[in-house]
Amino acid sequence: MSRVGKKPIPVPPGVKVDIRTDAVEVKGPKGTLIQALPPGVRIEASGDRLLAHLVREDASLGKFHGLGRSLVANAVHGVSEGFKKELDIVGIGYRAEHTGKQVVFSLGYSHLIEFDIPAGIEIAVEKQTHVTVSGIDRQRVGQVAANIRALRKPDPYKQKGVRYTGEVLKKKVGKTGA
């Protein structure tokens, strides 16, 4: 049995949860999310908290217990507080600029990179070298941040590129002339 799956999910005030057989709809001050449930997991409401249970005791369903609980907990947290990822752009001449529904990156290539902002995601550019990706869906926020980072991954030799704020890079030593 999953230890994560046993933990209750607190539901903050202002968040409404509609439990269906195959999904959970969560409405909050930041928006609405519909989270599909993995097979064999059901969610029950108990006062101001939610509990994840297995449909039947089966060893093959145990792996979905913690997953189902985590997905619903992320949905509840997302509609009440939201998620955000921060990225830093490091390098001479590397910068970003927010223009309408796009972010334009200058990352040392011969051309500018135009990145379309997906629906449900907000991107803020501070000081041209600091980008904040925020939204209510944790998976989409993480994927958009990973897509931005993939535009110019951090170079292990010169330490230039787009990296997560606080990410520690292992610096490689270049070749010596000897």
Side-chain angles (χ1 to χ4, degrees), residues 6 22 43 58 64 67 82 85 97 163 175:
K6 290 180 183 179
D22 60 342
I43 301 293
D58 187 3
F64 296 121
L67 172 69
K85 288 262 192 185
E97 182 182 350
R163 65 175 85 161
K175 292 182 180 179

Side-chain angles (χ1 to χ4, degrees), residues 145-166:
N147 292 346
I148 291 173
R149 182 179 184 269
L151 296 174
R152 183 69 142 195
K153 288 186 179 175
D155 180 28
Y157 296 101
K158 295 182 179 179
Q159 304 285 307
K160 293 169 27 173
V162 181
R163 65 175 85 161
Y164 296 114
T165 300

